[in-house]
Amino acid sequence: MEFTKEYWINCFNRCIRYTKTFIKWIIFSLIMGTICGLVGTAFHICVEYATGFRESHHPIIYFLPLAGVVIVFIYRICGIRHSKGTNLVIGSIRSVENEIPSRMAPLIFVSTVITHLFGGSSGREGAALQIGGSIGVSIGKILKLDESDKHILTLCGMSAVFSALFGTPITAALFSMEVISIGILYYCAFVPCLFSSVISFAITQKLHVVHEHYDITGIPSSIDVVMVLKVIGLAILCAILSSLFCIFMTIVHKLFRKYFKNQYLRVFAGGLMLVLLNIVLKTTDYNGTGMNIIAKALNGDAQPAAFLLKALFTAITIGCGFRGGEIVPSFFVGATFGCVAGGLMGMDPGFAAALGMVCFFCGVVNCPLTSLFLSIELFGANGIMFFTIGCAVSYMLSGYYSLYNEQKIIYSKLRPHYVNLYTNQEIRTKEPGFLEGFLRIREDDADDVE
């Protein structure tokens, strides 16, 4: 290498470009973190109030079918007949054709609050991704950014509102980067997503928003072969259950669309089913997010059939057209299943619930790093070795099932090969790691497809 005049000029120009880009994303992160922090705080307060009101006035659940009709009507008058929800946000990162409408943020905000007020079984974080993504796109349009920068701003919004709602800023930043495509991380968005997430979280702290964090007392103090085998066993069960859960959610959604062509009739029928289930079971444990049941499971107390019933309630709620998310319900399913299954395996029920919650979440979203940092931010770093093992096993064995249809497979879970997006077949690549050359490599190495 010759240190010529041109070399130093190029170094100087690169420094200027990196500095300008860094400053740009710091400013945009401040804007996104502030706006999303305030919106996320308002959303958190509204959902908490709706939940508290429902728990104090149980008969309001009987109006759930009518609430569903109202939600469909609101979307219709706003010009959205078929909303893809979180799938639209994920798809928009890879394609300019899947543009997120600006009105998605207020729509999902209002409809999710209505769902929780009347007892639909859904979460908040899925709605947070939609709200944040919509805010990011809207601000990108106002600032007249190009498509690449708007995509990064969309990821920033997803991270920021997720962080505001759940109080896990690092997890939120990683999740938006990792959930888009299986096998890769969008590292170009690391700085803006992280700063947006941290700023949003700081705002919620200033506004005295209380987030859920748990003290798990049953985490083993030492690592032994028997405990590692039990952790692996529970992770395998969670991987299988996560695949079944994703399949079940898809089947229920398709059945509703097949037998109830009309959206109003579909959501009314689903709401009526949920009301009847409440009457038959004589409990409201499976309405709303179920955070209280998750807390009980983490304390070592869970009903054997709780995870099955929550899966049923959530599948009906989301499948028939109510709004919200599937992430907190997946926490519920994983925690209650882990508590019961882990207890039968001789593990501490509270620790097993925490492990089941993280492993099941990893299986349904295919995000091992996000899941690992989730365990650290929720439960501390004492059991990091066990949670790492559990996430690794669950990620590998859960296959390519996902809560989100728009989540694309880029790398194989089994070998360092690309996966053909159209046939799901592995592709032997000459330059593994260069996603930009995927289409060229796919054409050049067509003969190597297995």
Side-chain angles (χ1 to χ4, degrees), residues 313-324:
F313 271 73
T314 303
I316 294 174
T317 300
I318 302 299
C320 73
F322 285 96
R323 303 299 171 183

Side-chain angles (χ1 to χ4, degrees), residues 117-354:
L117 177 63
F118 291 91
S121 177
S122 68
R124 302 168 297 181
E125 283 66 23
L129 300 179
Q130 298 175 51
I131 293 172
S134 179
I135 292 174
V137 170
S138 300
I139 293 178
K141 291 179 180 178
I142 294 173
L143 298 176
K144 301 185 184 303
L145 301 180
D146 59 31
E147 292 300 326
S148 296
D149 284 351
K150 278 198 294 187
H151 289 166
I152 294 179
L153 217 57
T154 301
L155 295 176
C156 290
M158 294 165 64
S159 299
V161 181
F162 191 107
S163 175
L165 281 179
F166 209 60
T168 53
I170 300 176
T171 300
L174 285 174
F175 182 60
S176 62
M177 295 163 53
E178 194 176 16
V179 74
I180 306 301
S181 304
I182 299 176
I184 68 170
L185 274 172
Y186 287 76
Y187 283 110
C188 59
F190 197 9
V191 167
C193 282
L194 181 61
F195 276 84
S196 299
S197 181
V198 170
I199 292 169
S200 177
F201 175 70
I203 288 175
T204 63
Q205 295 294 96
K206 290 294 183 182
L207 296 175
H208 307 291
V209 174
V210 179
H211 298 108
E212 292 84 1
H213 294 279
Y214 308 96
D215 294 323
I216 305 299
T217 58
I219 298 177
S221 57
S222 60
I223 298 176
D224 60 79
V225 175
V226 175
M227 181 54 65
V228 169
L229 291 176
K230 290 180 179 179
V231 169
I232 292 174
L234 183 57
I236 293 173
L237 294 177
C238 287
I240 296 172
L241 182 63
S242 67
S243 299
L244 295 175
F245 180 72
C246 294
I247 294 171
F248 182 60
M249 292 285 290
T250 301
I251 290 175
V252 171
H253 176 72
K254 289 183 177 180
L255 288 176
F256 269 112
R257 293 181 65 87
K258 178 179 179 181
Y259 292 105
F260 301 97
K261 303 295 185 182
N262 184 279
Q263 281 185 300
Y264 290 105
L265 181 60
R266 186 187 309 154
V267 75
F268 187 88
L272 187 60
M273 291 178 189
L274 293 172
V275 171
L276 293 175
L277 282 172
N278 278 117
I279 295 174
V280 171
L281 297 173
K282 298 179 181 179
T283 180
T284 58
D285 286 351
Y286 311 106
N287 300 101
T289 59
M291 294 300 296
N292 58 325
I293 307 301
I294 295 175
K296 287 183 179 180
L298 294 171
N299 286 323
D301 180 22
Q303 297 297 318
F307 71 96
L308 293 174
L309 291 172
K310 185 61 175 180
L312 176 61
F313 271 73
T314 303
I316 294 174
T317 300
I318 302 299
C320 73
F322 285 96
R323 303 299 171 183
E326 306 92 345
I327 294 179
V328 174
S330 73
F331 289 167
F332 185 117
V333 174
T336 52
F337 174 77
C339 183
V340 174
L344 294 175
M345 296 168 64
M347 303 171 66
D348 179 88
F351 167 61

